């Protein structure tokens, strides 16, 4: 993937991938996106519209996890992350997550000579110094906009979890649920109505004061996940040191990220984070 190759080269040079047509200088926001289950392209496409085009906030995108460090973050005003906490250096157990046609079972995968089997186990990519860099960035006045499966990173590092305020607990298969505004008086929910999406309904262990939660995801058919019920926190925000943090859980599909009500939430969240 061109994004991956160029991002890796830029990260090794101490920088990130800037959108075409802009000089190689830091933008307002740094975005770490994409993983095995979430293609970088749909995230970049979605947030380029939502943040760059709609709010006129330049974003430097990368999918190279090593690029997230104190040196890279220096000079940015906002950190955006939409990716999980895992890399798969030894390959995948199967190809269904990175080649959609394989999921149909046709055609049969045939290799001659056969590809040798691998351990195919994930590894957490976040190192302690990266978690500390994120914490120091926000404590010093930076904005952190966390989306969807980033709660999985909360399992990997205590400093990052302290900033995010949660850690991943799992999700059922994609299903339909309501995104419900529980605090209509929060600046991020201003003008936002309840809406329905078909998406991954993420569950998490939430660590902070529940008064910071302004959004819930609710399966109205009563479908639960493990012993965690049909409802999960869907969004929260709070001041953190001199900076601010916001998390929103929907985001597995482009159609979700561009849902009209969810666009309002994203716009409001960025304005609140950036004190616009």
């Amino acid at each position: 993937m061109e994004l991956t190759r160029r991002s890796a080269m830029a990260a090794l040079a101490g920088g990130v991938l800037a959108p075409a047509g802009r000089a190689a200088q830091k933008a307002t926001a740094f975005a770490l996106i994409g993983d095995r289950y979430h293609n970088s392209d749909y995230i970049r496409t979605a947030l380029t519209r939502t943040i760059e085009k709609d709010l006129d906030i330049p974003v430097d995108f990368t999918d190279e996890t090593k690029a997230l460090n104190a040196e890279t973050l220096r000079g940015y005003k906002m950190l955006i992350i939409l990716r999980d906490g895992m890399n798969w250096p030894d390959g995948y157990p199967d190809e269904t997550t990175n080649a959609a046609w394989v999921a149909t079972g046709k055609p049969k995968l045939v290799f001659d000579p056969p590809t040798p089997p691998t351990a195919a186990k994930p590894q957490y990519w976040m190192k302690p110094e990266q978690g500390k860099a994120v914490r120091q960035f926000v404590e010093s006045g930076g904005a952190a906009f966390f989306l969807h499966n980033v709660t999985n990173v909360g399992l990997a590092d205590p400093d990052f979890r302290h900033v995010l305020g949660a850690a991943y607990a799992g999700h059922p298969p994609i299903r339909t649920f309501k995104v419900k505004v529980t605090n209509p008086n929060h600046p991020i929910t201003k003008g936002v109505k309840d809406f329905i999406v078909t998406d991954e309904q993420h569950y998490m262990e939430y660590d902070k004061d529940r008064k910071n939660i302004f959004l819930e995801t609710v399966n109205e058919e009563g479908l639960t996940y493990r012993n965690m019920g049909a409802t999960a926190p869907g969004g929260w925000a709070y001041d953190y040191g001199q900076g601010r943090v916001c998390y929103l859980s929907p985001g597995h599909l482009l159609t979700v990220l561009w849902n009209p009500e969810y666009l309002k939430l994203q716009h409001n969240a960025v304005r609140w984070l950036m004190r616009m």
Side-chain angles (χ1 to χ4, degrees):
M1 184 188 299
E2 181 68 11
L3 174 64
T4 303
R5 183 177 65 82
R6 291 176 60 198
S7 297
M9 293 174 63
L12 290 174
V16 294
L17 180 62
R22 191 168 75 234
Q25 61 185 12
K26 286 190 174 179
T28 301
F30 170 77
L32 178 61
I33 61 170
D35 55 60
R36 174 186 173 187
Y37 305 99
H38 301 77
N39 184 284
S40 300
D41 188 72
Y42 93 86
I43 302 170
R44 185 182 59 221
T45 298
L47 299 185
T48 295
R49 170 184 168 180
T50 304
I51 298 176
E52 279 208 331
K53 182 178 178 182
D54 292 354
L55 299 177
D56 195 27
I57 295 177
V59 182
D60 286 335
F61 292 93
T62 186
D63 59 7
E64 176 51 68
T65 57
K66 294 178 182 178
L68 179 61
N69 56 59
E71 177 60 29
T72 298
L73 289 174
R74 191 171 295 118
Y76 286 107
K77 296 180 181 179
M78 181 165 60
L79 168 65
I80 303 166
I81 304 181
L82 198 170
R83 70 151 295 144
D84 66 23
M86 300 178 291
N87 280 338
W88 297 75
D90 295 319
Y92 309 143
D94 59 67
E95 299 292 350
T96 58
T97 58
N98 66 310
W101 57 270
V102 177
T104 67
K106 298 179 180 179
K108 182 180 179 181
L109 297 179
V110 177
F111 302 99
D112 185 16
T115 303
T118 65
K121 293 182 179 179
Q123 298 178 4
Y124 286 125
W125 56 264
M126 179 166 278
K127 308 301 183 186
E129 58 270 23
Q130 293 178 292
K132 288 182 173 62
V134 171
R135 185 166 182 168
Q136 292 169 358
F137 172 77
V138 184
E139 286 179 335
S140 300
F145 190 24
F146 298 132
L147 293 157
H148 192 49
N149 62 337
V150 73
T151 55
N152 185 263
V153 186
L155 296 171
D157 180 82
D159 281 309
F160 184 83
R161 177 168 179 165
H162 196 269
V163 178
L164 171 63
Y168 178 72
H171 69 80
I174 290 176
R175 66 190 189 190
T176 301
F177 57 87
K178 175 177 283 189
V179 182
K180 184 177 180 180
V181 175
T182 58
N183 179 5
N185 298 317
H186 196 286
I188 295 177
T189 58
K190 183 178 180 180
V192 178
K193 300 176 182 178
D194 296 351
F195 58 101
I196 293 173
V197 294
T198 301
D199 197 30
E200 289 178 344
Q201 185 182 8
H202 275 235
Y203 287 72
M204 65 288 296
E205 296 179 4
Y206 176 73
D207 301 332
K208 305 292 187 179
D209 194 323
R210 295 194 69 84
K211 71 179 182 181
N212 299 317
I213 297 175
F214 54 74
L215 212 65
E216 289 182 341
T217 61
V218 184
N219 183 277
E220 295 191 299
E221 297 179 5
L223 297 177
T224 63
Y225 179 68
R226 296 179 179 171
N227 62 345
M228 304 183 74
T231 300
W236 59 77
Y238 44 78
D239 293 313
Y240 188 93
Q242 299 178 53
R244 284 180 167 178
V245 174
C246 176
Y247 169 77
L248 300 174
S249 73
H252 189 68
L253 303 172
L254 179 63
T255 46
V256 172
L257 288 166
W258 280 356
N259 177 280
E261 294 301 315
Y262 198 30
L263 280 175
K264 294 178 189 176
L265 278 169
Q266 293 171 71
H267 292 163
N268 289 348
V270 172
R271 291 189 183 104
W272 181 83
L273 286 165
M274 299 289 291
R275 307 173 195 268
M276 296 170 62

